[in-house]
Amino acid sequence: MFKKKWFIMLVSFLGITTLGVGIFAFTVYKSLESAATSMHTPLDRSNSDKRTTQVDFKNQDPLSFLILGVDERPGDKGRSDSMIVLTVNPNNKSMQMVSIPRDTRTEIIGKGFEDKINHAYAFGGPEMSIATVENFLDIPIDYFVQVNMESFKDIVDAVGGVTVNNKLEFSQSGHHFPIGEIELNGEEALSFSRMRSVDNDFGRQQRQRDIIQGVINKGASISSVTKFDDILEIMGNNVRTNLTFDDMVDIQSSYKDARHELSQHQLTGSGTRIDNIYYLIIPEEDRLAISNQLKEHLELDSEVASNN
């Protein structure tokens, strides 16, 4: 009789626990779905002519993202403060991250003239930014992720801070950053990623990539489920993407292992003034080298991928 009572109590406890976990899982699922709906921003453009077929998540086709860090101001459409191309190859479990300097001179697709690449966003939003980057690097951009730079500190705080390996000692906005591995909260991370007065814009872009990598690593290994609501609320209010909720679920399922190997690259060039405006000129051989490297990572046939 005693054993029977304990057995009934155990089954009841397991049943209640299972029900509780099920309710919690459903709540998290619905919260994720709601946040994804808030973030979802369809693009007013057709599929990239750099691809002959649509990306298939089930087949684990390599894919690409354009990450736009946008400096939004009241009454102003804003401009892209940072532009980063991220390619993901689940077959060799790797990612490639390339920063495009915002002063890079190139043709603005849809305008028919050359200008700073970050002006594409001010002229035509993410659609024109994507078209211009596709033309510049001669690769397809499958998805975009637009982040309000001011909210970046809230995202970092929501994941519990990030760890970066700092290569340059400096102080910025009341924060001191020593050389070596350092822990950063949101305010520090924003200050860290925006400094460019001590070295240059290339150093700044490196720091931005380091912070993004830190967020990816921390976000993928969050230990406290209590942080999910904060993260989802912040992302729902400050992130825009053409990924749907189903897309996010499929990518998480089929591409998550690629985050373990991330290579960072930087486009460099020489500064010059044209009509008294500063531009960065990327040497053609450097542009082609990065373009070919990304094509290989995306497993694209260069003859098919190129418009040339």
Side-chain angles (χ1 to χ4, degrees):
M1 186 70 177
F2 180 73
K3 289 184 178 179
K4 184 178 180 181
K5 285 183 177 180
W6 270 106
F7 177 75
I8 294 172
M9 289 174 63
L10 178 61
V11 170
S12 300
F13 174 76
L14 290 174
I16 292 171
T17 302
T18 302
L19 178 62
V21 170
I23 292 172
F24 173 75
F26 177 76
T27 302
V28 170
Y29 181 88
K30 295 303 290 183
S31 296
L32 282 168
E33 190 175 34
S34 176
T37 300
S38 298
M39 291 186 285
H40 185 234
T41 306
L43 288 173
D44 184 18
R45 73 191 294 261
S46 57
N47 293 333
S48 172
D49 59 7
K50 304 290 183 182
R51 279 198 186 278
T52 56
T53 58
Q54 192 86 356
V55 169
D56 189 334
F57 297 141
K58 302 302 182 184
N59 287 340
Q60 293 191 318
D61 293 338
L63 71 165
S64 62
F65 298 84
L66 176 61
I67 302 172
L68 296 168
V70 177
D71 184 13
E72 295 179 320
R73 305 163 189 171
D76 184 6
K77 190 173 185 178
R79 63 188 59 193
S80 51
D81 188 61
S82 63
M83 303 179 79
I84 295 174
V85 173
L86 181 70
T87 58
V88 184
N89 187 320
N91 301 315
N92 59 25
K93 299 180 180 179
S94 67
M95 297 193 299
Q96 303 263 347
M97 191 187 297
V98 178
S99 292
I100 304 176
R102 59 184 184 174
D103 293 328
T104 298
R105 183 177 171 87
T106 190
E107 181 183 356
I108 305 298
I109 301 302
K111 285 295 183 180
F113 56 76
E114 293 192 340
D115 201 344
K116 295 184 180 184
I117 197 167
N118 73 320
H119 288 180
Y121 181 87
F123 290 137
E127 288 88 354
M128 194 169 287
S129 293
I130 290 171
T132 299
V133 170
E134 283 188 333
N135 181 70
F136 178 65
L137 291 177
D138 196 25
I139 63 167
I141 296 295
D142 301 306
Y143 299 99
F144 85 99
V145 179
Q146 176 184 318
V147 182
N148 178 358
M149 288 299 290
E150 281 300 319
S151 74
F152 205 50
K153 60 180 182 292
D154 298 325
I155 294 173
V156 171
D157 280 335
V159 299
V162 295
T163 302
V164 298
N165 186 18
N166 185 31
K167 300 176 179 63
L168 175 69
E169 183 175 5
F170 65 94
S171 295
Q172 170 86 358
S173 303
H175 305 292
H176 181 70
F177 304 101
I179 291 176
E181 190 173 277
I182 55 177
E183 301 282 338
L184 303 176
N185 62 27
E187 194 69 43
E188 292 166 338
L190 184 62
S191 178
F192 180 81
S193 66
R194 281 186 160 172
M195 194 283 291
R196 61 174 177 165
S197 59
V198 176
D199 48 4
N200 51 40
D201 205 38
F202 300 121
R204 176 175 177 268
Q205 291 156 22
Q206 175 66 59
R207 288 185 285 275
Q208 289 175 347
R209 294 195 302 272
D210 289 343
I211 294 294
I212 290 173
Q213 184 173 359
V215 169
I216 291 172
N217 291 338
K218 200 67 175 289
S221 58
I222 291 176
S223 57
S224 175
V225 294
T226 60
K227 296 178 181 178
F228 276 117
D229 283 343
D230 291 339
I231 294 170
L232 293 175
E233 181 179 358
I234 292 165
M235 293 185 69
N237 293 333
N238 296 285
V239 176
R240 296 293 173 262
T241 179
N242 58 330
L243 288 165
T244 66
F245 176 68
D246 289 341
D247 291 339
M248 295 178 191
V249 171
D250 287 340
I251 288 173
Q252 195 280 333
S253 173
S254 302
Y255 293 74
K256 60 185 178 181
D257 289 339
R259 74 178 180 86
H260 294 297
E261 183 181 333
L262 190 153
S263 301
Q264 299 187 25
H265 309 284
Q266 175 69 64
L267 279 165
T268 59
S270 57
T272 188
R273 286 193 172 273
I274 300 175
D275 296 330
N276 208 30
I277 298 174
Y278 176 85
Y279 294 98
L280 185 74
I281 307 300
I282 306 295
E284 182 64 7
E285 59 269 25
D286 293 349
R287 186 194 67 81
L288 285 173
I290 286 291
S291 174
N292 290 332
Q293 182 172 309
L294 294 178
K295 288 176 185 176
E296 181 179 353
H297 194 239
L298 289 170
E299 299 180 5
L300 297 172
D301 182 329
S302 60
E303 292 184 2
V304 173
S306 176
N307 274 344
N308 297 330

